[in-house]
Amino acid sequence: MIREFQLADWVTLGNAISGVGALFSTMTYLQTGDIRHINFACALLVAALIFDVLDGRIARWRQKTSDIGRELDSLADIISFGVAPAVMGYALGMNGLFDRIVLAYFVACGVSRLARYNVTAEELSAGGDKVKYFEGTPIPTSLLIVGILFFAASTGAVGGALWFGELTLGGFKLHPLVLMFALSGSLMISRIRVPKP
């Protein structure tokens, strides 16, 4: 199988590996409490975005695209821009029951958005090689949340010091900051059209 990979596919794997590295760094933060591991995780997710941008450009430059490349891209994206930011939010203190529900919703929205894109990409490209717009916000926009988490972590706003505190509803905790994940997920599955650069 590996012999069939195109150069763009290897770059896509760089995206996936960066996302997995961010997950490992976040878990190391949970073990050690050393905030540098969150900083490293954030840097790896920026690297994942760079790989994500490069793989499409390389595929178009070499005029070699494939169905496996498209699927690889979606799978890498859900790791780097779906699961990793959600796990980072959990690690930094959004770990009440309602927080977990919101974080799971965010990941489910990301998966659904990528599946919809894969199914409708040909239709949205109007017979051309390139999709003219996204339906719903692209999953890499979750890096805005990662930026907020990075800033919160660097100012010590983690755990019990999370911005906006915590609420107890029916005996279970909700950190209002987690609602940014709910908003991001909802925008991903919306019908709004975002022009593709």
Side-chain angles (χ1 to χ4, degrees), residues 164-176:
F164 311 115
E166 72 178 30
L167 304 172
T168 302
L169 305 169
F172 299 104
K173 292 180 182 176
L174 168 74
H175 294 87

Side-chain angles (χ1 to χ4, degrees), residues 53-81:
V53 170
L54 285 177
D55 66 3
R57 291 176 190 246
I58 289 170
R60 285 189 296 275
W61 166 61
R62 298 193 70 199
Q63 297 180 349
K64 291 189 178 180
T65 59
S66 65
D67 289 339
I68 194 168
R70 185 175 68 186
E71 298 304 323
L72 273 175
D73 188 58
S74 291
L75 293 168
D77 284 356
I78 197 58
I79 295 168
S80 298
F81 309 122

